[in-house]
Amino acid sequence: MAATLLRRGAVASRRLCPAEVLRRLVSSEAAPERAPSRTPPEMPPFDHQPRPYAGMAGAEIFEKRKAVLGPSLFHYYQKPLNIVEGKMQYLYDEHGKRYLDCFGGIVTVSCGHCHQDIVNAVVEQTKLLQHTTTIYLHHAIVEFAEALTSKMPGNLKVVYFVNSGTEANELAMLMARLYSGNLSMIALRNAYHGGSAGTIGLTGLQTWKYPIPQGEIHHVMNPDPYRGTFGSDAAAYAKEVEEHITYGSSGRVAGFIAETFQGVGGAVELAPGYLKLAYDIVRKAGGVCIADEVQSGFGRTGSHYWGFQTQDVIPDIVTMAKGIGNGLPLGAVVTTPEIASVLAQRIQFNTFGGNPVCSAGGLAVLNVLDKEKRQAHCADVGSHLVERLKSLQQKHERDVRGRGLMLGVELVTDRKEKTPAKAETAVLFEKLKVGKGGLHGNVFRIKPPMCFSKDDADFLVEAMDYAMSGI
């Protein structure tokens, strides 16, 4: 979730073995051991005093979770963090210790934790009307939908509001099948599109898939410039899509879904030009093209407002969630009037989709992103951060990729063979308290709140260098 606050004061000079390091969390109380001449980097100053915490202790929460919550829940770090307060790009634990959030609640906090404009919008709407459904009229949903569609290119002008990215992708898949009259969906290997029975089928990572029927879903080669079979050759990957349709289907498909920047898969940006070629092939086979913008939307990439725009395409359907609400349970599907009309064949309804509180909060998010020029900020800070990260590539075995504040750092033990550095990543994971992803869990996912500064970026790089130098 966060990069740990590192302070001065290394202890003894004896170097810890990896097993010992894993047992010992890096914090302001217990810094990693280093040569006496080197001190830990210091976090940038921040003018916020967290409230004293009088709630349940983390250890007690952890035990109660085991008793009353589902056993499938997982946690980060050997000793899970009890985060009790957040302000902009920083988080605070039960002891008042500050952390630099480099993961944004899994790419969800776009504007910053407890951004005052968004808090005010949510609170004021909650005071007036906490809930009503779309069977009644309310101004908030219409205002939000108008603002959202104004950000979309082409004829993407109709919105369906839902509660999450999983729901958005389920609805998009339903639309594709109804509109095309076909069943087969095409998705990418290494993709993640949700955890429901339907979207598990779209997901292309075995770590997230239960052994259940996938339901007419085909996975094609991932156009990964770093690990992919064809490197950055978009035409070769697109040809494989065409061949898969020819040999692995009836020749007609319902749709194709892809993240432009694979999030859970390890911040993988698709080979340049791939989507334009793949979209053309899919449309010729009767399918519609779906862009999953759950993580890469709303200016996070810096260069563009939507991830798909980096590939110079306009999808038929766009799904979004996470950053759309800055932490509110909110998602959306945006499509054309023609595709949207297929849902009018039957009753289509979502109890909480378009909830007035979430709509007010979502509109406030769009306004903040515009007012604070967060897209340009992501481009500026992201370029600085990438430059700093790449300066360390010769020192540490890794791949740096992405753009804006949608970045990944993949650790390998051998630059030529690209052998995943699983054990080393596990040690650093405990030291730095960062987020990770990728099939092998060896990619640090750097996707902080979009108020992240250059000073924060410098601290992050220095902390990573400091921690890596000790392995």
Side-chain angles (χ1 to χ4, degrees), residues 7-236:
R7 292 179 180 166
R8 299 178 183 274
V11 287
S13 60
R14 181 180 63 83
R15 183 165 169 170
L16 297 176
C17 70
E20 290 175 309
V21 174
L22 276 170
R23 289 193 296 268
R24 179 176 183 168
L25 306 183
V26 179
S27 67
S28 56
E29 286 78 32
E33 303 188 22
R34 290 290 181 281
S37 60
R38 188 169 188 187
T39 57
E42 293 191 9
M43 186 177 292
F46 185 63
D47 186 19
H48 177 73
Q49 184 63 41
R51 296 180 183 179
Y53 177 69
M56 194 182 301
E60 185 179 358
I61 295 172
F62 192 29
E63 291 306 311
K64 287 182 180 292
R65 269 175 52 127
K66 297 176 186 177
V68 299
L69 298 179
S72 62
L73 289 184
F74 64 93
H75 59 85
Y76 271 0
Y77 323 123
Q78 290 186 336
K79 184 179 179 182
L81 297 176
N82 181 21
I83 298 298
V84 301
E85 191 171 333
K87 188 65 177 176
M88 300 308 286
Q89 68 268 44
Y90 296 104
L91 295 167
Y92 300 84
D93 69 11
E94 60 188 306
H95 306 295
K97 187 190 300 180
R98 180 163 61 106
Y99 297 80
L100 173 61
D101 186 357
C102 296
F103 204 14
I106 315 183
V107 209
T108 297
V109 180
S110 50
C111 300
H113 292 279
C114 299
H115 191 291
Q116 198 58 56
D117 289 6
I118 301 166
V119 170
N120 289 344
V122 168
V123 169
E124 290 306 310
Q125 180 55 56
T126 302
K127 290 178 181 177
L128 290 173
L129 181 66
Q130 193 169 18
H131 178 69
T132 185
T133 73
T134 52
I135 62 176
Y136 305 106
L137 301 182
H138 195 273
H139 67 91
I141 185 174
V142 174
E143 292 169 347
F144 184 27
E146 284 185 329
L148 188 58
T149 54
S150 73
K151 302 293 186 182
M152 308 302 299
N155 201 31
L156 294 165
K157 298 302 179 187
V158 181
V159 184
Y160 285 93
F161 287 115
V162 292
N163 305 295
S164 68
T166 292
E167 281 191 32
N169 286 330
E170 282 276 7
L171 185 57
M173 182 163 51
L174 175 62
M175 286 180 176
R177 285 172 165 165
L178 290 173
Y179 183 75
S180 68
N182 303 317
L183 288 177
S184 295
M185 291 291 300
I186 298 175
L188 297 178
R189 299 172 189 172
N190 200 56
Y192 179 83
H193 296 292
S196 64
T199 55
I200 281 177
L202 294 174
T203 293
L205 290 158
Q206 68 168 11
T207 46
W208 297 89
K209 296 172 77 71
Y210 292 98
I212 60 175
Q214 292 201 154
E216 288 292 329
I217 295 172
H218 308 266
H219 290 91
V220 295
M221 293 178 68
N222 188 36
D224 180 350
Y226 182 64
R227 289 192 174 275
T229 302
F230 303 123
S232 295
D233 189 346

Side-chain angles (χ1 to χ4, degrees), residues 399-421:
D399 178 57
V400 177
R401 53 181 178 253
R403 64 175 80 189
L405 292 179
M406 185 79 180
L407 304 176
V409 177
E410 179 165 357
L411 273 62
V412 296
T413 57
D414 184 276
R415 191 166 280 146
K416 182 179 179 181
E417 298 298 325
K418 302 175 183 176
T419 308

